[in-house]
């Protein structure tokens, strides 16, 4: 497929910011903890901060030919709850347009058993967001994928469990958000970006 053109976030690109020094306190393949010191546009004296390091990720709103969204019911261990979400996943290599698109294709197949329609399918980039900017540098790139086709059963990796896949209309999705059925940041952020841009 053709790689769409979209911006990639560059940390520290905003003028006046500098990480002056840092010390790694913990690291494993999924998360790290760093004690860092910063100067900022308004503070020239170093400011210490604990930063949780996370890989960049993608979140995708898959849309069927009939306009319904594809959502997955996924167990989230830290909050001990099974949540309705859009498919999402971490980028396991350097963040490039190609690695982002590759991750999207993998997550669609693994989490909801979907793939872009071979003739009509397109990915629309919707920017990015920071899930919890007060303590982590994690960034999530947002996309719609439409239309998608169901091609298999979900095949989550060994650490994930997806109990169900559901197709919901835009009205049903809004109702789930209004009723506090959907409470996870990535789905709320992605739907907000979709709604703000006037997409179906």
């Amino acid at each position: 497929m053709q790689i769409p053109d979209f911006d990639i976030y560059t940390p520290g690109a905003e003028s006046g910011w500098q990480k002056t020094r840092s010390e790694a306190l913990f690291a494993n393949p999924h998360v790290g903890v760093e004690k860092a010191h910063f100067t900022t546009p308004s503070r020239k004296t170093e400011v210490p901060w604990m930063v949780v390091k996370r890989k960049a990720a993608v979140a995708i709103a898959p849309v069927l030919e009939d306009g319904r969204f594809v959502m997955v019911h996924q167990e989230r261990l830290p909050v001990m709850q099974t949540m309705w979400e859009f498919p999402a996943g971490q980028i396991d290599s350097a963040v490039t347009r190609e690695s982002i698109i590759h991750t999207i294709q993998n997550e669609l197949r693994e989490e909801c058993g979907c793939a872009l329609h071979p003739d009509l399918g397109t990915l629309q980039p919707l920017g990015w967001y920071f899930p919890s900017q007060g303590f982590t540098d994690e960034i999530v790139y947002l996309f719609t994928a439409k239309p998608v086709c169901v091609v298999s059963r979900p095949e989550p990796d060994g650490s994930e469990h997806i109990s169900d896949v559901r197709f919901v209309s835009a009205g049903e999705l809004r109702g789930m958000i209004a009723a506090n059925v959907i409470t996870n940041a990535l789905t709320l952020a992605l739907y907000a970006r979709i709604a703000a841009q006037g997409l179906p």
Side-chain angles (χ1 to χ4, degrees):
M1 66 165 290
Q2 183 176 355
I3 304 293
D5 186 30
F6 56 91
D7 291 334
I8 294 176
Y9 171 71
T10 303
E14 184 180 327
S15 177
W17 287 87
Q18 184 178 2
K19 183 192 291 187
T20 55
R21 53 196 170 106
S22 64
E23 175 188 0
L25 302 180
F26 171 82
N28 69 21
H30 305 289
V31 68
V33 179
E34 173 185 272
K35 182 177 182 180
H37 292 75
F38 301 88
T39 55
T40 77
S42 60
R43 293 180 280 185
K44 302 309 176 189
T45 302
E46 287 186 337
V47 181
W49 206 261
M50 299 295 284
V51 180
V52 174
K53 308 291 289 181
R54 290 273 290 169
K55 295 176 184 176
V58 298
I60 317 103
V63 184
L64 298 168
E65 285 191 80
D66 64 8
R68 289 181 297 169
F69 292 97
V70 182
M71 305 196 73
V72 298
H73 207 213
Q74 184 160 191
E75 290 182 348
R76 291 301 187 181
L77 299 178
V79 295
M80 296 188 293
Q81 189 173 344
T82 309
M83 296 184 163
W84 285 108
E85 304 179 357
F86 285 131
Q90 290 185 323
I91 302 165
D92 290 325
S93 59
V95 178
T96 64
R97 291 183 182 89
E98 290 76 13
S99 67
I100 289 171
I101 300 307
H102 177 73
T103 303
I104 289 170
Q105 292 170 325
N106 285 346
E107 294 302 328
L108 286 173
R109 185 182 66 255
E110 292 173 6
E111 294 203 351
C112 60
C114 289
L116 277 172
H117 188 288
D119 301 317
L120 307 174
T122 60
L123 294 174
Q124 180 168 355
L126 299 175
W128 60 74
Y129 86 107
F130 299 98
S132 192
Q133 69 281 0
F135 84 100
T136 178
D137 65 351
E138 182 181 16
I139 184 171
V140 182
Y141 292 89
L142 305 173
F143 286 80
T144 59
K146 59 184 179 181
V148 297
C149 308
V150 177
V151 296
S152 68
R153 294 182 59 82
E155 300 173 357
D157 70 28
S159 64
E160 298 176 327
H161 180 77
I162 293 173
S163 60
D164 198 5
V165 176
R166 181 175 174 185
F167 307 147
V168 301
S169 68
E172 289 173 315
L173 179 56
R174 286 194 298 272
M176 293 168 75
I177 292 171
N180 208 39
V181 173
I182 293 176
T183 54
N184 61 89
L186 74 85
T187 303
L188 293 171
L190 183 44
Y191 180 75
R193 195 64 57 85
I194 289 169
Q197 296 199 11
L199 301 175

